């Protein structure tokens, strides 16, 4: 490529970025601000809903807890409707204006081990019809926020049972021992 052509390509590339702006996908902007144990095996997760929609208002939110955890209840901003469907929260309502922060409180049973990172999948919906890219937010599980009844545990490694070969060997040994014991008893009885 000639120097002139290279300069022209650089100018066109810079001009397109200047006119169009950098093409960076927006991401859902939801964070777990607190995980508060309730003392009954549930935990209140305080989620902060921020500017994931850029200059548009946020009108909806989806949050999914990981496998092994369960949603029990939720509280959303005033005027918002909330639906729980298994591990999924769907909330919709009047827009949260850009720059404002709204709180959503999830009541959940957390099935994890203390020290594990618990990740929530989040999606925001915007008044302009757009939806930022899904994101994850999470927190570190402590012994206080974990529901011991839901804690994820690996199954014990149990070796497989005896196969046909092992069973045949065991039956042969028992038969041989029984025959030997019977012969010994018969010999002993004849000597008397």
């Amino acid at each position: 490529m000639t120097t002139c052509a290279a300069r022209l390509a650089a100018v066109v590339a810079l001009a397109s970025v200047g006119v169009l702006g950098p093409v960076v996908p927006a991401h859902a902007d939801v964070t777990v601000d607190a995980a508060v144990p309730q003392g009954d095996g549930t935990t209140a997760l305080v989620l902060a809903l921020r500017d994931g929609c850029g200059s548009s208002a946020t009108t909806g939110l989806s949050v999914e807890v990981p496998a092994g955890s369960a949603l029990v209840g939720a509280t959303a901003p005033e005027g918002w409707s909330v639906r729980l469907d298994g591990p999924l929260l769907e909330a919709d309502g009047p827009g949260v204006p850009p720059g404002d922060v709204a709180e959503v409180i999830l009541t959940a049973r957390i099935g994890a081990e203390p020290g594990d990172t618990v990740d929530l999948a989040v999606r925001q919906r915007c008044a302009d019809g757009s939806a930022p890219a899904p994101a994850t937010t999470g927190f570190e599980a402590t012994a206080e926020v974990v529901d011991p009844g839901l804690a994820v545990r690996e199954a014990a490694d149990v070796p497989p049972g005896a196969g046909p070969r092992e069973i045949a060997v065991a039956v042969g040994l028992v038969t041989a021992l029984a025959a030997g014991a019977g012969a010994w008893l018969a010999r002993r009885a004849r000597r008397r």
Side-chain angles (χ1 to χ4, degrees), residues 24-29 51-54 131-134:
V24 178
H27 290 279
D29 190 3
D51 292 333
C53 290

Side-chain angles (χ1 to χ4, degrees), residues 181-192:
W184 179 76
L185 286 173
R187 229 187 265 162
R188 188 168 175 186
R190 275 190 248 157
R191 285 188 194 165
R192 287 190 180 184

Side-chain angles (χ1 to χ4, degrees), residues 37-43 68-72 108-114 118 139 141-153:
Q38 301 300 296
D40 61 356
T42 64
T43 298
S69 296
L71 288 176
V72 177
R109 293 191 179 279
I110 305 301
E113 293 292 332
V118 178
F139 62 97
T142 63
E144 292 80 23
V145 302
V146 169
D147 182 348
L150 294 180
V152 178
R153 294 180 180 87

Side-chain angles (χ1 to χ4, degrees), residues 10-142:
V11 168
V12 169
L14 288 173
S16 67
V17 169
V19 171
L20 301 175
V23 181
V24 178
H27 290 279
D29 190 3
V30 179
T31 57
V32 177
D33 279 0
V36 184
Q38 301 300 296
D40 61 356
T42 64
T43 298
L45 300 175
V46 181
L47 306 180
L49 178 60
R50 295 188 172 80
D51 292 333
C53 290
S55 62
S56 181
T58 298
T59 57
L61 174 68
S62 299
V63 179
E64 187 170 3
V65 296
S69 296
L71 288 176
V72 177
T75 304
E78 188 173 332
W80 282 51
S81 64
V82 173
R83 291 171 309 287
L84 297 177
D85 185 13
L88 183 65
L89 159 84
E90 292 286 344
D92 296 293
V96 176
D100 285 3
V101 177
E103 276 189 355
V104 174
I105 301 173
L106 297 178
T107 304
R109 293 191 179 279
I110 305 301
E113 293 292 332
D116 287 352
T117 298
V118 178
D119 287 323
L120 309 176
V122 296
R123 293 186 79 112
Q124 280 177 269
R125 290 179 295 285
C126 308
D128 64 6
S130 66
T136 57
T137 185
F139 62 97
E140 184 176 323
T142 63

